[in-house]
Amino acid sequence: MSGVLPLSSREDEPFIGARNSAGNGDSLAIEMEQETSTSTSSGGSSRKKNSRLKCFGVDLSPDNVAVAMVYFVQGVLGLARLAVSFYLKDDLHLDPAETAVVTGFSALPWLVKPLYGFISDSIPLFGYRRRSYLVLSGLLGALSWSLMATFVDSKYGAACCILLGSFSVAFSDVVVDSMVVERARGESQSVSGSLQSLCWGSSALGGIVSSYFSGSLVDAYGVRFVFGVTALLPLITSAVAVLVKEQRVIGQSRGPNVPLGNSSFLKSSKENIIQLWNAVRQPNVFLPTVFIFLWQATPQSDSAMFFFTTNKLGFTPEFLGRVKLVTSVASLAGVGLYNGFLKNVPLRKIFLATTVTGSVLGMTQVCVLI
């Protein structure tokens, strides 16, 4: 936290001695000099603070840049989304049901996100709870897409790689979410909303960057090439880990420490689970959780719609990429709308309005089927 720190006792000592031994005039001169120095320092710090770059009202400190870049990677990984769909349909010749099952594996790692939080908090990797796991997540993501670009030639291999890639994204998401929560704790809804706007805005920007090229690259170079390019993107997560301001855990300087059999680890894990259960049991947590569960449990027609638009309507990869581009632009516009006008509006009203609006707009897919 920036600001002018109070002078230490070591710095006060010569000033006190000089004031006691000097006359009134000298004392006044010394005090004025001290105040001028403090004022100048304060002004310099203030100007330095005000000169920081901001995005969505959030200072772009190294930590916040790291968070934004991880979310950007999550968005830009959409580069391979169309390639995966065309690979499963055209190269592996899967039907819509099989495609839905294979792509459904991507949702499994997101079901146990609290477990990743327990692991990163309780098991420092090479002395760090944040940096090391971001590096590892990026490497796992790069490995999964590299395998898709080279060796994978079956639906089982594709499912395993999709599962591994989704796991890497989910784990990095938990790490950066914990960083955001630490910064938002005790802040107002406006400040918390600005942090969330930075996160989702970065993801939407990544989606915009990748959306159009996701289709045109499939048309021009094929799905394997797209998988190879996508394999480079998770390495950004590994690279920005150095920006995370984190103090090394004492005693973890040499290699990873995995105290799975340690009684203190088991005790802390048990306490964390109890705290989580007690939190979930509260009505103000349980009811929103049920709402989110029902929302996510709503059946989706993504695979069936993809086969319909490509086989029946003849949509090309490039055209679908442009559709994804419009979706990403709309997402970024929604983030800007929330950050500019809605972050001070009660969340209950926002949920009600967006749920009703989303339900109505979701019905527009029926027009395509008529």
Side-chain angles (χ1 to χ4, degrees):
M1 296 182 64
S2 59
V4 180
L5 297 177
L7 294 174
S8 66
S9 58
R10 185 177 299 272
E11 291 172 334
D12 283 340
E13 288 172 359
F15 172 69
I16 295 173
R19 187 167 60 180
N20 289 338
S21 62
N24 293 335
D26 293 338
S27 175
L28 180 60
I30 294 174
E31 290 177 353
M32 291 177 62
E33 181 179 357
Q34 182 73 12
E35 291 175 358
T36 302
S37 175
T38 304
S39 177
T40 303
S41 174
S42 177
S45 299
S46 178
R47 285 192 298 270
K48 183 177 180 181
K49 183 177 180 179
N50 292 334
S51 64
R52 286 183 181 177
L53 294 176
K54 292 187 176 183
C55 184
F56 293 106
V58 179
D59 287 334
L60 292 183
S61 63
D63 274 355
N64 290 335
V65 170
V67 171
M69 289 303 298
V70 172
Y71 274 93
F72 175 82
V73 170
Q74 292 185 17
V76 82
L77 284 175
L79 179 69
R81 189 170 293 119
L82 279 178
V84 169
S85 297
F86 278 100
Y87 175 71
L88 297 177
K89 181 176 79 76
D90 296 335
D91 292 47
L92 299 183
H93 307 291
L94 303 184
D95 57 39
E98 291 177 311
T99 300
V101 171
V102 172
T103 55
F105 276 87
S106 63
L108 296 180
W110 296 84
L111 301 179
V112 290
K113 286 179 63 176
L115 176 62
Y116 311 149
F118 292 151
I119 293 175
S120 63
D121 288 340
S122 304
I123 308 177
L125 191 61
F126 295 100
Y128 294 101
R129 293 188 173 93
R130 303 289 183 258
R131 290 182 181 178
S132 299
Y133 285 103
L134 285 178
V135 172
L136 180 61
S137 297
L139 294 178
L140 289 178
L143 174 63
S144 66
W145 290 112
S146 297
L147 293 176
M148 287 288 288
T150 52
F151 299 110
V152 173
D153 58 0
S154 68
K155 59 183 178 182
Y156 301 105
C160 291
C161 287
I162 290 173
L163 182 66
L164 180 60
S166 181
F167 169 76
S168 71
V169 176
F171 209 115
S172 63
D173 183 75
V174 169
V175 173
V176 296
D177 278 351
S178 65
M179 295 169 60
V180 172
V181 170
E182 289 172 357
R183 284 154 181 74
R185 185 180 290 118
E187 300 289 350
S188 63
Q189 180 181 327
S190 177
V191 174
S192 301
S194 296
L195 287 170
Q196 288 298 318
S197 296
L198 176 66
C199 297
W200 292 108
S202 301
S203 178
L205 181 61
I208 291 174
V209 171
S210 65
S211 292
Y212 178 81
F213 296 103
S214 64
S216 59
L217 289 178
V218 170
D219 260 343
Y221 301 103
V223 295
R224 297 281 188 178
F225 176 82
V226 176
F227 294 153
V229 174
T230 306
L232 301 176
L233 302 177
L235 297 179
I236 298 176
T237 299
S238 300
V240 300
V242 299
L243 299 177
V244 177
K245 186 179 180 181
E246 182 182 10
Q247 199 167 18
R248 182 187 291 270
V249 178
I250 298 176
Q252 308 296 328
S253 58
R254 296 184 180 181
N257 184 31
V258 187
L260 294 178
N262 195 322
S263 60
S264 62
F265 169 75
L266 297 176
K267 182 178 179 180
S268 63
S269 299
K270 181 179 179 180
E271 291 176 353
N272 288 334
I273 293 174
I274 293 175
Q275 291 177 359
L276 178 62
W277 174 244
N278 290 334
V280 171
R281 291 172 58 188
Q282 299 178 14
N284 58 344
V285 176
F286 178 73
L287 294 178
T289 302
V290 172
F291 166 77
I292 295 174
F293 170 78
L294 295 176
W295 177 33
Q296 294 295 326
T298 303
Q300 301 290 327
S301 59
D302 293 343
S303 297
M305 184 62 69
F306 173 76
F307 275 77
F308 177 76
T309 55
T310 53
N311 293 344
K312 298 295 183 180
L313 302 183
F315 288 178
T316 63
E318 184 175 3
F319 180 79
L320 290 175
R322 292 178 180 178
V323 173
K324 294 288 185 183
L325 176 62
V326 174
T327 302
S328 298
V329 171
S331 178
L332 184 60
V335 172
L337 177 65
Y338 170 78
N339 187 71
F341 303 100
L342 301 177
K343 63 183 179 182
N344 292 318
V345 176
L347 295 178
R348 185 184 299 272
K349 293 183 178 180
I350 296 177
F351 287 148
L352 177 61
T354 53
T355 301
V356 173
T357 304
S359 300
V360 173
L361 294 178
M363 294 294 294
T364 56
Q365 292 188 7
V366 178
C367 299
V368 181
L369 305 176
I370 297 178

